[in-house]
Amino acid sequence: MSQPADLKFLIVDDFSTMRRIVRNLLKEIGYANADEAEDGVAALSKLRGGNFDFVVSDINMPNMNGFELLAAIRAEPTLKHLPVLMVTAEAKKEDIVNAAQGGASGYIVKPFTKATLEEKLQKIVQRAQTAQAA
Amino acid sequence: MELDTKTPQDMDALFEAAAMAPPTTEKPSQATVIPIRVPANVVPIAEAFDVFQRIGSITRKLHDALQELGYDKQIADAVQSLPDARTRLDYIARLTGDAAEKVLNTIDAIQSEQDKTDAAAEIVKARVAEFAARAVGADTAVADALREFVDDYLVSSSKQREQLTEIMLAQDFHDLTGQVIRKIVAVAAALEEQLVALLLEATPPEKRTLVEHSGLSGPVVDAKGRSDVVTDQAQVDDLLESLGF
């Protein structure tokens, strides 16, 4: 994994407003390197083509939802190591459990704060770096 | 057996006959019998047909009841109004989305200006520090005032950035309300489909074309066309007024 400030993020959400918000927040937190995708299909295509370090994904999206994207990432040898943070309005316990069992690295329910996003990102990045060092 | 839906009496008789009749026991001739193991969950054809007859009868009764109560017109109105309602919801989703984008664009512009002003303030702060180091007499007070002003500005700018972040985060309403609107639009579409089906069932064959035209295609296409070309304030005001804004 790259140094935290150099991490390349892929923001996946079907709402352009939310993509912009997450992108701006990441920039404020210190992660300026980010790209966007409007659904799971576009995300997978970009992930296969670029050296991404981190995925921040919505769940409820057309074509390929966040759960399907997560499963596809975990099933692909070159992508399965990627941290995937779910940022979604789906607040059902069942969905949260499904995401965790599907290999999500974190789960944030919308609406959320900058502090929440920062805290989750730090935890995931630290965990990934520890795992890499081990 | 063909369903005869000409009169309610026919349907009632058919329903009664079907309800009273014992299960069909008609057997094919010996020469055509092929031993097949039928899965337990497969409904025999005769029974399935009986179900269709019953549904036909119930539909007819519902139609008669609706006509008697004057609800057929209301269903037709509901069917016609649903595409309109969907278009209006789409309109709200689009308008709120545009508004959120405008806010985000403005925040970007403000942050860009802040970056410039903050960078300039840092330069001024360094100059003021140099000036303060050399200042004597009355200049000392001026240096203090300048330093205080620049420091206050930088604190204020930092607070403004935090507040801009809050405004930016609040724009997530577009995503959250948009998802709800999308679900309601899907429900309205499903409801419309079912109402149209009910209306078709309850409409004499010769008038079905009218129902199909009024409920399925015309209003949707026309309404969508109208929303796409909303360009003047009068149309916007008209729509918002009708929505209670």
Side-chain angles (χ1 to χ4, degrees):
Chain A
M1 186 173 253
S2 314
Q3 285 303 302
D6 302 327
L7 293 180
K8 188 176 178 185
F9 281 75
L10 182 64
I11 303 158
V12 193
D13 201 306
D14 52 334
F15 279 86
S16 60
T17 320
M18 187 51 74
R19 292 200 300 271
R20 279 186 75 174
I21 290 172
V22 173
R23 190 174 193 150
N24 285 353
L25 283 177
L26 287 175
K27 193 177 164 192
E28 284 183 22
I29 292 168
Y31 303 112
N33 193 2
D35 197 355
E36 301 175 17
E38 71 272 16
D39 60 31
V41 174
L44 261 189
S45 171
K46 286 200 171 185
L47 286 171
R48 285 170 182 150
N51 296 314
F52 287 93
D53 299 297
F54 208 117
V55 180
V56 178
S57 178
D58 185 21
I59 289 181
N60 191 358
M61 296 179 289
N63 302 321
M64 181 191 277
N65 68 34
F67 286 130
E68 292 163 340
L69 173 63
L70 178 63
I73 289 172
R74 293 291 174 249
E76 203 152 315
T78 55
L79 303 176
K80 65 179 182 185
H81 65 283
L82 282 179
V84 180
L85 173 62
M86 313 305 280
V87 179
T88 173
E90 307 301 321
K92 278 187 281 182
K93 285 181 182 175
E94 185 189 342
D95 291 325
I96 299 169
V97 170
N98 281 342
Q101 289 175 345
S105 313
Y107 196 103
I108 293 177
V109 177
K110 298 172 188 170
F112 60 98
T113 64
K114 179 184 168 185
T116 305
L117 179 65
E118 193 165 9
E119 180 199 328
K120 300 290 174 202
L121 286 175
Q122 276 178 353
K123 269 188 189 172
I124 296 167
V125 169
Q126 279 171 4
R127 211 185 303 150
Q129 285 178 332
T130 309
Q132 202 174 40
Chain B
M1 194 187 294
E2 196 177 325
L3 285 178
D4 187 353
T5 56
K6 280 176 189 165
T7 66
Q9 290 75 21
D10 288 343
M11 286 308 302
D12 286 344
L14 194 58
F15 176 78
E16 292 303 325
M20 297 299 290
T24 307
T25 53
E26 197 176 290
K27 288 180 181 175
S29 68
Q30 196 63 34
T32 59
V33 171
I34 301 167
I36 296 172
R37 188 182 291 274
V38 179
N41 61 346
V42 172
V43 180
I45 292 173
E47 280 185 32
F49 201 70
D50 186 39
V51 169
F52 286 131
Q53 285 180 350
R54 290 178 188 217
I55 292 173
S57 173
I58 291 166
T59 305
R60 190 68 198 178
K61 281 182 177 172
L62 180 61
H63 165 235
D64 293 342
L66 289 173
Q67 271 199 325
E68 207 171 302
L69 294 167
Y71 284 163
D72 58 336
K73 177 74 172 63
Q74 290 181 24
I75 291 178
D77 289 347
V79 167
Q80 285 177 2
S81 67
L82 278 169
D84 193 34
R86 273 163 39 201
T87 305
R88 288 173 192 219
L89 285 171
D90 284 339
Y91 180 81
I92 291 172
R94 187 162 50 83
L95 227 63
T96 51
D98 288 349
E101 290 286 345
K102 267 185 199 169
V103 174
L104 291 175
N105 288 341
T106 310
I107 290 172
D108 281 350
I110 294 172
Q111 282 176 335
S112 175
E113 288 298 316
Q114 270 190 322
D115 288 344
K116 286 182 204 165
T117 320
D118 283 4
E122 291 293 347
I123 293 169
V124 171
K125 189 179 176 179
R127 292 266 176 88
V128 168
E130 289 169 14
F131 174 67
R134 296 194 307 268
V136 287
D139 283 353
T140 311
V142 174
D144 286 345
L146 282 172
R147 190 165 49 206
E148 193 178 342
F149 171 76
V150 175
D151 285 347
D152 285 351
Y153 163 77
L154 287 170
V155 169
S156 171
S157 176
S158 176
K159 278 184 189 164
Q160 286 174 37
R161 281 180 190 276
E162 284 173 21
Q163 286 158 347
L164 280 176
T165 301
E166 289 300 314
I167 294 173
M168 179 184 75
L169 267 167
Q171 304 314 304
D172 68 358
F173 80 89
H174 174 233
D175 179 359
L176 300 172
T177 57
Q179 288 191 41
V180 174
I181 287 175
R182 206 152 58 184
K183 279 185 182 171
I184 295 172
V185 166
V187 168
L191 191 62
E192 181 195 349
E193 198 178 303
Q194 288 171 22
L195 283 175
V196 167
L198 177 64
L199 200 55
L200 280 171
E201 285 285 339
T203 303
E206 65 274 13
K207 289 187 179 174
R208 284 185 184 177
T209 323
L210 288 172
V211 176
E212 282 166 345
H213 280 191
S214 64
L216 285 174
S217 52
V220 183
V221 174
D222 289 348
K224 280 212 165 183
R226 280 201 301 274
S227 80
D228 288 346
V229 294
V230 168
T231 48
D232 66 84
Q233 192 55 45
Q235 282 182 319
V236 175
D237 288 346
D238 187 38
L239 186 54
L240 287 175
E241 191 184 320
S242 68
L243 289 167
F245 283 89

